[in-house]
Amino acid sequence: MNLIIDAGNSLIKISVFLHKTEIHHEQFAISEFVKRIKQVFGVYPNITNAIISSVGVLDKKDMAVVSLFCEVHQLTNKTKTPFKNSYATPETLGVDRIALATAAFYHNPNSNTLVIDAGTCITYDMVNDYGEYIGGAISPGIQMRYKALHQQTAKLPQLEKEDLIDFIGNSTETCIHSGVVNGVSVEVNGIIEQYNHRFNNLTVILTGGDALFLSKRTKNTIFANPKFLLEGLNCLLEYNKK
């Protein structure tokens, strides 16, 4: 069994995989990390390996707790990957994007795949039909856009995402919702179109916390998989066991 730990900007997500099948999943705040890890090993004592992907929220003490129970691999930009990495600055490539590229490589082998991760940021990552990671883009996520409008202006309120009635807002609140939700939708659709023009038979994977919310607003054919990153981490762990 493998334990997969994804420590993101907002939450810790963990999954237990038996080979390629996820048999357990949960998410929680960083303050609960040690307690939840101990509980997972209590339920699944046959976990032998773990991989940790952290954007910086986990410290060495947290990671050391996991190593008390099993062998641990910490994902870094030096981790061996199955794909060719053609990123110009591989040392700055985020661990989350490495995991997503790995998932794309295995999920859609020898094919052009664009992965869109709609989380705190929206990242776009491209793996071509030569099994080569070539890069992508990073833009603010939905909640980040709402927060920026509130925090960097004097009077605009802090709002939470919601469905649009019309793309033309007729109040301050509905104008903000249109600017954020419609703006993100237009961005995502536009970027997919750009990639479609350059790459033949493109497969688009939409993942992340806002994947299902955005999937209803894309006019292109996509595959929504909120756990794509976790699957990529499991693939990376298996690859690095060899």
Side-chain angles (χ1 to χ4, degrees):
M1 287 184 183
N2 292 336
L3 174 63
I4 311 304
I5 302 172
D6 172 30
N9 290 293
S10 304
L11 292 170
I12 307 292
K13 304 179 187 70
I14 64 173
S15 290
V16 177
F17 279 80
L18 180 60
H19 304 299
K20 295 182 180 180
T21 303
E22 184 189 60
I23 59 175
H24 176 84
H25 176 76
E26 60 181 287
Q27 59 185 39
F28 45 84
I30 178 65
S31 59
E32 298 182 76
F33 183 79
V34 174
K35 180 182 73 173
R36 294 293 191 98
I37 289 298
K38 290 180 178 178
Q39 289 174 347
V40 167
F41 279 99
V43 177
Y44 301 100
N46 292 327
I47 294 171
T48 57
N49 295 82
I51 186 168
I52 300 175
S53 170
S54 175
V55 295
V57 295
L58 285 181
D59 58 30
K60 291 182 178 179
K61 291 182 180 179
D62 292 321
M63 296 181 191
V65 170
V66 185
S67 64
L68 294 175
F69 297 95
C70 70
E71 186 174 340
V72 178
H73 179 87
Q74 183 181 355
L75 178 58
T76 71
N77 53 50
K78 295 182 180 179
T79 297
K80 184 174 64 173
T81 61
F83 57 86
K84 179 184 177 183
N85 190 348
S86 295
Y87 204 57
T89 55
E91 68 280 359
T92 68
L93 184 61
V95 291
D96 52 341
R97 301 178 73 189
I98 294 172
L100 292 169
T102 301
F105 178 86
Y106 281 112
H107 183 274
N108 208 28
N110 305 118
S111 300
N112 291 312
T113 308
L114 174 65
V115 183
I116 304 172
D117 185 5
T120 302
C121 293
I122 301 174
T123 59
Y124 302 84
D125 292 291
M126 180 70 201
V127 177
N128 66 21
D129 52 7
Y130 292 99
E132 176 186 22
Y133 175 77
I134 59 174
I138 305 172
S139 72
I142 291 176
Q143 291 303 323
M144 189 182 292
R145 298 181 195 215
Y146 278 116
K147 287 180 181 178
L149 287 171
H150 171 63
Q151 294 175 357
Q152 308 215 11
T153 62
K155 295 183 178 180
L156 294 182
Q158 176 66 62
L159 302 179
E160 299 295 326
K161 70 183 180 207
E162 64 177 51
D163 289 320
L164 292 180
I165 298 175
D166 192 343
F167 70 91
I168 301 176
N170 63 358
S171 67
T172 298
E173 290 194 0
T174 55
C175 283
I176 291 173
H177 287 309
S178 178
V180 173
V181 177
N182 190 52
V184 168
S185 301
V186 170
E187 173 193 308
V188 169
N189 282 308
I191 288 179
I192 292 173
E193 286 300 319
Q194 287 180 321
Y195 279 82
N196 267 320
H197 284 305
R198 182 171 297 187
F199 299 98
N200 295 324
N201 302 314
L202 181 71
T203 296
V204 181
I205 308 289
L206 182 60
T207 190
D210 287 323
L212 297 179
F213 183 79
L214 284 178
S215 65
K216 299 178 290 185
R217 295 168 175 79
T218 56
K219 59 186 179 182
N220 297 274
T221 300
I222 62 165
F223 298 93
N225 182 347
K227 296 181 180 179
F228 202 59
L229 189 148
L230 295 167
E231 293 174 7
L233 288 172
N234 187 56
C235 291
L236 266 177
L237 180 54
E238 287 293 319
Y239 184 74
N240 280 274
K241 282 183 185 179
K242 300 174 183 179

